[in-house]
Coordinates of all heavy atoms in Angstrom, one line a residue:
M16 N 0.8 -1.1 0.0 CA 0.0 -0.1 0.0 C 1.0 1.2 0.0 O 2.0 1.3 0.7 CB -0.8 0.0 1.2 CG -1.6 1.2 1.6 SD -1.0 2.4 2.9 CE -0.3 1.3 4.2
R17 N 0.5 2.2 -0.9 CA 1.2 3.5 -0.9 C 0.1 4.6 -0.9 O -0.9 4.4 -1.6 CB 2.1 3.7 -2.0 CG 3.4 2.8 -1.9 CD 4.2 3.1 -3.1 NE 5.3 2.2 -3.1 CZ 6.5 2.2 -3.8 NH1 6.6 3.3 -4.6 NH2 7.4 1.3 -3.7
R18 N 0.3 5.6 -0.1 CA -0.8 6.7 -0.2 C -0.1 8.0 0.1 O 0.6 8.2 1.0 CB -1.9 6.4 0.8 CG -3.0 7.4 0.7 CD -4.2 6.9 1.5 NE -4.0 6.9 2.8 CZ -4.5 7.8 3.7 NH1 -5.1 8.9 3.2 NH2 -4.3 7.8 5.0
S19 N -0.3 9.0 -0.8 CA 0.2 10.3 -0.5 C -0.7 11.0 0.5 O -1.9 10.9 0.6 CB 0.1 11.1 -1.9 OG 0.5 12.5 -1.7
I20 N 0.0 11.7 1.4 CA -0.6 12.5 2.5 C -0.7 13.9 2.1 O -1.8 14.6 2.3 CB 0.1 12.1 3.8 CG1 0.1 10.7 4.1 CG2 -0.6 13.0 5.0 CD1 -1.2 10.1 4.3
D21 N 0.5 14.5 1.8 CA 0.5 16.0 1.6 C 1.8 16.2 0.8 O 2.7 15.4 0.8 CB 0.5 16.8 2.9 CG 0.3 18.2 2.7 OD1 -0.1 18.7 1.6 OD2 0.4 18.9 3.8
D22 N 1.9 17.4 0.1 CA 3.0 17.8 -0.6 C 3.0 19.3 -0.8 O 1.9 19.9 -0.6 CB 3.1 17.1 -2.0 CG 2.1 17.6 -2.9 OD1 2.1 18.7 -3.5 OD2 1.1 16.8 -3.0
H23 N 4.2 19.9 -0.9 CA 4.3 21.3 -1.0 C 5.3 21.6 -2.2 O 6.4 21.5 -2.0 CB 4.8 21.9 0.3 CG 4.8 23.4 0.2 ND1 3.7 24.2 0.2 CD2 5.9 24.3 0.0 CE1 4.1 25.4 0.1 NE2 5.4 25.5 0.0
P24 N 4.7 22.1 -3.3 CA 5.6 22.4 -4.4 C 6.3 23.8 -4.1 O 5.7 24.6 -3.3 CB 4.6 22.6 -5.6 CG 3.3 22.8 -5.0 CD 3.3 22.2 -3.6
F25 N 7.5 23.9 -4.6 CA 8.2 25.1 -4.3 C 7.5 26.4 -4.8 O 6.8 26.3 -5.9 CB 9.6 25.0 -5.1 CG 10.4 26.2 -5.1 CD1 11.0 26.8 -3.9 CD2 10.4 27.1 -6.2 CE1 11.7 28.0 -4.0 CE2 11.1 28.3 -6.2 CZ 11.7 28.7 -5.1
S26 N 7.7 27.4 -4.1 CA 7.2 28.8 -4.4 C 8.3 29.7 -4.0 O 8.7 29.7 -2.8 CB 5.8 29.1 -3.7 OG 5.5 30.4 -3.9
A27 N 8.6 30.7 -4.8 CA 9.6 31.6 -4.4 C 9.2 32.4 -3.3 O 10.0 32.9 -2.5 CB 9.8 32.6 -5.7
E28 N 7.9 32.6 -3.0 CA 7.4 33.3 -1.8 C 7.8 32.7 -0.5 O 7.7 33.2 0.6 CB 5.9 33.5 -1.9 CG 5.5 34.5 -3.0 CD 5.4 33.8 -4.4 OE1 5.0 32.6 -4.4 OE2 5.8 34.5 -5.3
D29 N 8.1 31.4 -0.5 CA 8.5 30.6 0.6 C 9.9 30.8 1.1 O 10.2 30.5 2.2 CB 8.3 29.1 0.5 CG 6.9 28.7 0.1 OD1 6.0 29.4 0.6 OD2 6.7 27.7 -0.6
M30 N 10.7 31.4 0.2 CA 12.1 31.6 0.5 C 12.4 33.0 1.1 O 11.6 33.9 0.9 CB 12.9 31.5 -0.9 CG 12.8 30.1 -1.5 SD 13.4 28.8 -0.5 CE 15.1 28.9 -0.9
P31 N 13.5 33.1 1.9 CA 13.8 34.4 2.4 C 14.4 35.3 1.4 O 14.9 34.9 0.3 CB 14.9 34.0 3.4 CG 15.5 32.8 3.0 CD 14.3 32.0 2.3
P32 N 14.2 36.6 1.5 CA 14.8 37.6 0.5 C 16.2 37.3 0.3 O 17.0 37.0 1.2 CB 14.5 39.0 1.2 CG 13.5 38.7 2.2 CD 13.7 37.3 2.7
G33 N 16.5 37.5 -1.0 CA 18.0 37.2 -1.4 C 18.4 35.8 -1.5 O 19.6 35.5 -1.6
W34 N 17.4 34.9 -1.5 CA 17.8 33.5 -1.5 C 18.6 33.0 -2.7 O 19.5 32.2 -2.5 CB 16.5 32.6 -1.3 CG 15.6 32.7 -2.5 CD1 14.6 33.6 -2.7 CD2 15.5 31.7 -3.6 NE1 13.9 33.2 -3.9 CE2 14.5 32.2 -4.5 CE3 16.3 30.6 -4.0 CZ2 14.3 31.5 -5.7 CZ3 16.0 30.0 -5.2 CH2 15.1 30.5 -6.0
E35 N 18.4 33.7 -3.8 CA 19.1 33.2 -5.0 C 20.7 33.4 -4.8 O 21.5 32.7 -5.3 CB 18.6 33.9 -6.2 CG 17.3 33.6 -6.7 CD 16.3 34.7 -6.4 OE1 16.5 35.5 -5.4 OE2 15.3 34.8 -7.0
D36 N 21.0 34.6 -4.2 CA 22.4 34.9 -3.9 C 22.9 34.3 -2.7 O 24.2 34.4 -2.5 CB 22.5 36.4 -3.8 CG 22.0 37.2 -5.0 OD1 22.3 36.6 -6.1 OD2 21.4 38.2 -4.8
A37 N 22.1 33.6 -1.8 CA 22.6 33.1 -0.6 C 22.9 31.6 -0.7 O 23.1 30.9 0.3 CB 21.6 33.3 0.5
D38 N 22.9 31.0 -1.9 CA 23.2 29.6 -2.1 C 22.2 28.6 -1.5 O 22.6 27.7 -0.9 CB 24.7 29.3 -1.7 CG 25.2 28.1 -2.3 OD1 24.7 27.6 -3.3 OD2 26.0 27.4 -1.6
L39 N 20.9 29.0 -1.5 CA 19.9 28.2 -0.9 C 19.2 27.5 -2.1 O 18.9 28.1 -3.0 CB 18.8 29.2 -0.2 CG 19.4 29.9 1.0 CD1 18.2 30.7 1.6 CD2 19.9 29.0 2.1
Q40 N 19.0 26.2 -1.9 CA 18.3 25.4 -2.9 C 16.8 25.4 -2.8 O 16.3 25.1 -1.7 CB 18.8 24.0 -2.8 CG 20.1 23.6 -3.5 CD 20.2 24.0 -4.9 OE1 19.1 24.3 -5.6 NE2 21.3 24.0 -5.5
P41 N 16.1 25.8 -3.8 CA 14.7 25.6 -3.8 C 14.3 24.2 -3.8 O 14.7 23.4 -4.7 CB 14.2 26.4 -5.0 CG 15.3 26.4 -5.9 CD 16.6 26.3 -5.1
V42 N 13.4 23.6 -2.9 CA 13.1 22.3 -2.9 C 11.5 22.3 -2.6 O 10.9 23.1 -2.2 CB 13.8 21.5 -1.8 CG1 15.2 21.4 -1.9 CG2 13.4 22.1 -0.4
S43 N 11.0 21.1 -3.1 CA 9.6 20.7 -2.7 C 9.7 19.5 -1.9 O 10.6 18.8 -1.9 CB 8.8 20.4 -4.1 OG 8.7 21.5 -4.9
W44 N 8.7 19.2 -1.2 CA 8.6 18.1 -0.3 C 7.3 17.3 -0.4 O 6.3 17.9 -0.8 CB 8.8 18.4 1.1 CG 7.9 19.4 1.8 CD1 8.1 20.8 2.0 CD2 6.7 19.1 2.4 NE1 7.0 21.4 2.6 CE2 6.1 20.4 2.8 CE3 5.8 18.0 2.6 CZ2 4.9 20.5 3.4 CZ3 4.6 18.1 3.2 CH2 4.1 19.3 3.5
G45 N 7.2 16.1 -0.1 CA 6.0 15.3 -0.1 C 6.1 14.3 1.1 O 7.2 13.8 1.4
V46 N 4.9 14.0 1.7 CA 4.8 13.1 2.7 C 3.8 12.0 2.2 O 2.7 12.3 1.7 CB 4.3 13.6 4.1 CG1 4.0 12.6 5.0 CG2 5.3 14.7 4.5
A47 N 4.1 10.7 2.4 CA 3.3 9.6 2.0 C 3.5 8.5 3.1 O 4.3 8.6 4.0 CB 3.7 9.1 0.7
I48 N 2.7 7.5 3.0 CA 2.8 6.3 3.8 C 3.0 5.1 2.8 O 2.5 5.1 1.7 CB 1.6 6.0 4.8 CG1 0.4 6.0 4.0 CG2 1.7 7.2 5.9 CD1 -0.8 5.6 4.9
S49 N 3.7 4.1 3.3 CA 4.0 2.9 2.5 C 4.2 1.8 3.4 O 4.8 1.9 4.5 CB 5.1 3.1 1.6 OG 5.4 2.0 0.8
D50 N 3.8 0.6 3.0 CA 4.1 -0.7 3.7 C 4.7 -1.7 2.7 O 4.8 -2.9 2.9 CB 3.0 -1.3 4.5 CG 1.9 -1.8 3.5 OD1 2.0 -1.6 2.3 OD2 0.9 -2.4 4.0
D51 N 5.4 -1.2 1.6 CA 5.9 -2.1 0.6 C 7.3 -2.5 0.9 O 8.2 -2.2 0.2 CB 5.9 -1.2 -0.7 CG 4.6 -0.9 -1.2 OD1 3.6 -1.6 -0.7 OD2 4.4 -0.1 -2.1
Y52 N 7.6 -3.1 2.1 CA 8.8 -3.4 2.6 C 8.8 -4.9 2.9 O 7.7 -5.5 3.1 CB 9.3 -2.7 3.8 CG 9.1 -1.2 3.6 CD1 8.0 -0.5 4.1 CD2 10.0 -0.5 2.9 CE1 7.8 0.8 4.0 CE2 9.9 0.9 2.8 CZ 8.7 1.5 3.3 OH 8.6 2.9 3.0
D53 N 10.0 -5.6 3.0 CA 10.0 -7.0 3.3 C 9.3 -7.4 4.7 O 8.7 -8.4 4.7 CB 11.5 -7.5 3.4 CG 12.2 -7.5 2.0 OD1 11.4 -7.6 1.0 OD2 13.4 -7.6 2.0
D54 N 9.4 -6.4 5.6 CA 8.7 -6.7 6.9 C 7.2 -6.3 6.9 O 6.5 -6.4 7.9 CB 9.4 -6.0 8.1 CG 9.5 -4.5 8.0 OD1 9.0 -3.9 7.1 OD2 10.2 -3.9 8.8
A55 N 6.8 -5.6 5.9 CA 5.4 -5.2 5.7 C 4.9 -4.2 6.8 O 3.8 -3.9 7.0 CB 4.4 -6.3 5.6
E56 N 5.9 -3.6 7.5 CA 5.6 -2.5 8.4 C 5.4 -1.2 7.7 O 6.1 -0.8 6.9 CB 6.7 -2.4 9.5 CG 6.9 -3.6 10.4 CD 5.7 -3.8 11.3 OE1 5.1 -2.8 11.8 OE2 5.4 -5.0 11.5
P57 N 4.3 -0.5 8.1 CA 4.0 0.8 7.5 C 5.1 1.9 8.1 O 5.5 1.8 9.2 CB 2.7 1.3 8.0 CG 2.5 0.4 9.4 CD 3.3 -0.9 9.2
R58 N 5.5 2.7 7.1 CA 6.4 3.8 7.4 C 5.9 5.0 6.7 O 5.1 5.0 5.7 CB 7.8 3.4 6.9 CG 8.4 2.3 7.6 CD 9.8 1.9 7.0 NE 10.5 1.0 7.8 CZ 10.3 -0.4 7.9 NH1 9.3 -0.9 7.1 NH2 11.0 -1.1 8.6
V59 N 6.4 6.1 7.3 CA 6.1 7.5 6.7 C 7.3 7.8 5.8 O 8.5 7.6 6.1 CB 6.1 8.6 7.8 CG1 6.0 10.0 7.2 CG2 5.0 8.3 8.8
V60 N 7.0 8.2 4.6 CA 8.0 8.5 3.5 C 8.1 10.0 3.3 O 7.0 10.5 2.9 CB 7.7 7.8 2.2 CG1 8.8 8.1 1.2 CG2 7.5 6.2 2.4
L61 N 9.1 10.6 3.6 CA 9.3 12.0 3.4 C 10.3 12.2 2.3 O 11.4 11.7 2.3 CB 10.0 12.7 4.7 CG 10.5 14.1 4.5 CD1 9.3 15.0 4.1 CD2 11.3 14.5 5.7
T62 N 9.8 12.8 1.2 CA 10.7 13.0 0.0 C 10.9 14.5 -0.2 O 10.0 15.3 -0.2 CB 9.8 12.4 -1.3 OG1 9.5 11.1 -1.0 CG2 10.7 12.6 -2.6
V63 N 12.1 14.8 -0.5 CA 12.6 16.1 -0.7 C 13.3 16.2 -2.1 O 14.2 15.4 -2.3 CB 13.5 16.7 0.4 CG1 14.0 18.1 0.1 CG2 12.9 16.6 1.8
E64 N 12.9 17.1 -2.9 CA 13.4 17.2 -4.3 C 13.8 18.6 -4.6 O 13.0 19.5 -4.4 CB 12.4 16.7 -5.4 CG 12.2 15.3 -5.4 CD 11.3 14.9 -6.6 OE1 10.5 15.6 -7.0 OE2 11.5 13.8 -7.1
E65 N 14.9 18.7 -5.2 CA 15.4 20.0 -5.7 C 14.6 20.3 -7.0 O 14.4 19.5 -7.8 CB 16.9 19.9 -6.1 CG 17.5 21.2 -6.6 CD 18.9 21.0 -7.1 OE1 19.6 19.9 -6.7 OE2 19.5 21.9 -7.7
I66 N 14.2 21.6 -7.1 CA 13.4 22.0 -8.2 C 14.2 21.8 -9.5 O 15.4 22.1 -9.6 CB 13.0 23.5 -8.0 CG1 12.2 23.6 -6.8 CG2 12.2 24.0 -9.3 CD1 11.0 22.8 -6.7
G67 N 13.6 21.2 -10.5 CA 14.2 21.0 -11.8 C 14.9 19.7 -11.8 O 15.5 19.3 -12.8
R68 N 14.9 18.9 -10.8 CA 15.5 17.6 -10.8 C 14.5 16.5 -10.4 O 14.9 15.7 -9.4 CB 16.7 17.7 -9.9 CG 17.8 18.7 -10.4 CD 19.1 18.5 -9.9 NE 19.6 17.1 -10.2 CZ 20.6 16.5 -9.5 NH1 21.0 16.9 -8.5 NH2 20.8 15.3 -9.9
A69 N 13.3 16.5 -10.9 CA 12.3 15.5 -10.5 C 12.9 14.2 -10.6 O 13.5 13.8 -11.6 CB 11.1 15.7 -11.4
G70 N 12.6 13.4 -9.7 CA 13.0 11.9 -9.6 C 14.4 11.8 -9.0 O 14.8 10.6 -8.8
A71 N 15.1 12.8 -8.8 CA 16.5 12.7 -8.2 C 16.5 13.1 -6.8 O 17.6 13.4 -6.1 CB 17.4 13.6 -9.0
G72 N 15.4 13.2 -6.1 CA 15.3 13.7 -4.7 C 15.7 12.6 -3.7 O 16.0 11.4 -4.1
L73 N 15.6 12.9 -2.4 CA 15.9 12.0 -1.4 C 14.6 11.5 -0.7 O 13.8 12.4 -0.4 CB 16.8 12.6 -0.3 CG 18.2 13.1 -0.8 CD1 18.9 13.8 0.2 CD2 19.1 11.8 -1.3
A74 N 14.5 10.3 -0.4 CA 13.3 9.8 0.2 C 13.7 9.1 1.5 O 14.5 8.1 1.5 CB 12.5 8.9 -0.7
A75 N 13.3 9.6 2.7 CA 13.5 9.0 4.0 C 12.3 8.1 4.3 O 11.2 8.6 4.3 CB 13.7 10.1 5.0
H76 N 12.6 6.9 4.6 CA 11.5 5.9 5.0 C 11.5 5.8 6.5 O 12.5 5.1 7.1 CB 11.8 4.5 4.3 CG 11.7 4.7 2.8 ND1 10.6 4.3 2.1 CD2 12.7 5.2 1.9 CE1 11.0 4.5 0.8 NE2 12.1 5.1 0.7
L77 N 10.7 6.5 7.2 CA 10.7 6.7 8.7 C 9.9 5.7 9.4 O 8.7 5.6 9.1 CB 10.4 8.2 9.0 CG 11.1 9.2 8.2 CD1 10.5 10.5 8.6 CD2 12.6 9.1 8.5
S78 N 10.4 5.0 10.4 CA 9.6 4.3 11.3 C 8.7 5.2 12.1 O 8.9 6.5 12.2 CB 10.4 3.5 12.3 OG 11.1 4.4 13.1
P79 N 7.5 4.7 12.7 CA 6.7 5.6 13.5 C 7.5 6.4 14.6 O 7.2 7.6 14.7 CB 5.7 4.7 14.1 CG 5.6 3.5 13.1 CD 7.0 3.4 12.6
S80 N 8.4 5.7 15.2 CA 9.2 6.4 16.3 C 10.1 7.5 15.7 O 10.2 8.6 16.3 CB 10.0 5.4 17.1 OG 11.0 5.0 16.3
I81 N 10.6 7.4 14.5 CA 11.5 8.3 14.0 C 10.6 9.5 13.4 O 10.9 10.7 13.5 CB 12.3 7.9 12.9 CG1 13.4 6.8 13.4 CG2 13.2 8.9 12.1 CD1 14.3 7.3 14.5
A82 N 9.5 9.2 12.9 CA 8.5 10.2 12.4 C 8.0 11.1 13.6 O 7.9 12.3 13.4 CB 7.4 9.6 11.6
R83 N 7.7 10.4 14.7 CA 7.4 11.2 15.8 C 8.5 12.1 16.3 O 8.4 13.3 16.7 CB 6.9 10.4 17.1 CG 5.6 9.8 16.8 CD 5.0 9.2 18.1 NE 5.8 7.9 18.3 CZ 5.3 6.7 17.8 NH1 4.2 6.7 16.9 NH2 5.9 5.6 17.9
R84 N 9.8 11.6 16.3 CA 10.9 12.5 16.7 C 11.0 13.6 15.8 O 11.2 14.7 16.2 CB 12.2 11.6 16.6 CG 13.4 12.3 17.1 CD 14.6 11.4 17.0 NE 15.8 12.2 17.3 CZ 17.0 11.7 17.4 NH1 17.2 10.4 17.2 NH2 18.1 12.4 17.6
L85 N 10.9 13.4 14.4 CA 10.9 14.6 13.5 C 9.7 15.6 13.8 O 9.9 16.7 13.8 CB 10.8 14.0 12.1 CG 10.8 15.1 10.9 CD1 11.9 16.0 11.0 CD2 10.6 14.5 9.6
R86 N 8.6 15.1 14.0 CA 7.4 16.0 14.4 C 7.8 16.8 15.6 O 7.5 18.0 15.6 CB 6.2 15.1 14.6 CG 4.9 16.0 15.0 CD 3.8 15.1 15.4 NE 4.1 14.3 16.6 CZ 3.3 13.4 17.1 NH1 2.3 13.0 16.4 NH2 3.5 12.8 18.2
V87 N 8.3 16.2 16.7 CA 8.7 16.9 17.9 C 9.7 18.0 17.5 O 9.7 19.1 18.0 CB 9.2 16.0 19.0 CG1 9.8 16.7 20.1 CG2 8.0 15.2 19.5
A88 N 10.8 17.6 16.7 CA 11.8 18.6 16.3 C 11.2 19.8 15.5 O 11.7 20.9 15.9 CB 12.8 17.8 15.5
L89 N 10.2 19.5 14.7 CA 9.7 20.7 14.0 C 8.8 21.5 14.9 O 8.9 22.7 14.9 CB 8.8 20.1 12.8 CG 9.6 19.5 11.7 CD1 8.5 18.8 10.7 CD2 10.4 20.5 11.0
R90 N 8.1 20.8 15.8 CA 7.4 21.7 16.9 C 8.3 22.5 17.6 O 8.0 23.7 17.9 CB 6.5 20.7 17.8 CG 5.7 21.4 18.8 CD 5.1 20.5 19.9 NE 6.1 19.8 20.6 CZ 6.8 20.3 21.6 NH1 6.5 21.6 22.0 NH2 7.7 19.6 22.2
D91 N 9.3 21.9 18.2 CA 10.3 22.6 19.0 C 11.0 23.7 18.2 O 11.2 24.8 18.9 CB 11.4 21.6 19.5 CG 10.8 20.7 20.6 OD1 9.8 20.9 21.0 OD2 11.7 19.8 20.9
A92 N 11.3 23.6 16.9 CA 11.7 24.7 16.2 C 10.8 25.8 16.1 O 11.2 27.0 16.1 CB 12.2 24.2 14.8
L93 N 9.5 25.6 15.9 CA 8.6 26.6 15.7 C 8.4 27.4 17.1 O 8.4 28.6 17.0 CB 7.1 26.0 15.4 CG 7.0 25.6 13.9 CD1 5.7 24.7 13.8 CD2 7.0 26.8 13.0
V94 N 8.5 26.7 18.2 CA 8.4 27.3 19.5 C 9.6 28.2 19.7 O 9.5 29.3 20.2 CB 8.3 26.2 20.6 CG1 8.4 26.9 21.9 CG2 6.9 25.5 20.6
E95 N 10.8 27.7 19.3 CA 12.0 28.5 19.5 C 12.0 29.8 18.7 O 12.6 30.8 19.1 CB 13.2 27.5 18.9 CG 14.6 28.1 19.2 CD 15.0 28.0 20.7 OE1 14.4 27.3 21.5 OE2 15.8 28.9 21.0
I96 N 11.3 29.8 17.6 CA 11.2 31.1 16.8 C 10.0 31.9 17.1 O 9.7 32.9 16.4 CB 11.4 30.8 15.2 CG1 10.2 30.1 14.7 CG2 12.7 30.2 14.9 CD1 10.2 30.0 13.2
G97 N 9.3 31.6 18.2 CA 8.2 32.3 18.7 C 6.8 32.0 17.9 O 6.0 32.9 18.0
E98 N 6.7 30.9 17.3 CA 5.5 30.6 16.6 C 4.7 29.5 17.3 O 5.3 28.8 18.1 CB 5.9 30.0 15.1 CG 6.5 31.0 14.2 CD 5.5 32.0 13.8 OE1 4.3 31.8 13.6 OE2 5.9 33.2 13.6
D99 N 3.4 29.6 17.1 CA 2.5 28.6 17.7 C 2.8 27.3 16.9 O 2.7 27.3 15.7 CB 1.1 29.1 17.5 CG 0.0 28.1 18.0 OD1 0.4 27.0 18.5 OD2 -1.2 28.4 17.9
P100 N 3.1 26.2 17.7 CA 3.3 24.9 17.0 C 2.2 24.3 16.4 O 2.2 23.3 15.7 CB 4.0 24.1 18.1 CG 3.3 24.7 19.3 CD 3.2 26.1 19.1
G101 N 0.9 24.8 16.7 CA -0.2 24.2 16.1 C -0.6 22.8 16.6 O -0.2 22.6 17.8
R102 N -1.3 22.1 16.0 CA -1.7 20.8 16.6 C -0.7 19.7 16.5 O 0.2 19.7 15.8 CB -3.0 20.3 15.9 CG -2.9 20.2 14.4 CD -4.2 19.8 13.7 NE -3.9 19.7 12.3 CZ -4.2 18.7 11.7 NH1 -4.7 17.5 12.2 NH2 -4.0 18.6 10.3

């Protein structure tokens, strides 16, 4: 089973001012779930792709515990910059 959950295509408005001169790579991301593994355990798949290089991105196949750790890290980063971490 594979199922797409969410994705975010690159938008220049998402980047900080001067990003072209600051050596920042524009990327898009996608989140999916999959259980197409030898152990048939479901995992969260996080794919990050550089714009203009479709199919050449990196895909992290995260166990539930690692996906939760990433979720907590993103929440903590939002709090650190003074943002509401949301749900």
Side-chain angles (χ1 to χ4, degrees):
M16 166 259 324
R17 290 183 187 197
R18 186 165 69 102
S19 178
I20 302 297
D21 194 6
D22 64 83
H23 183 75
F25 169 75
S26 171
E28 292 80 39
D29 295 332
M30 300 295 279
W34 67 272
E35 294 104 335
D36 299 325
D38 198 26
L39 300 178
Q40 276 307 344
V42 297
S43 293
W44 59 262
V46 174
I48 56 173
S49 177
D50 66 356
D51 296 345
Y52 310 99
D53 288 345
D54 62 7
E56 291 295 319
R58 288 178 173 78
V59 174
V60 180
L61 171 64
T62 303
V63 180
E64 285 189 328
E65 181 181 350
I66 300 306
R68 301 200 56 207
L73 298 174
H76 299 257
L77 310 173
S78 67
S80 63
I81 299 300
R83 280 190 289 276
R84 182 175 172 183
L85 178 58
R86 180 184 65 188
V87 169
L89 291 170
R90 180 192 61 82
D91 290 351
L93 285 167
V94 169
E95 189 71 24
I96 63 171
E98 291 290 324
D99 179 354
R102 55 183 182 121

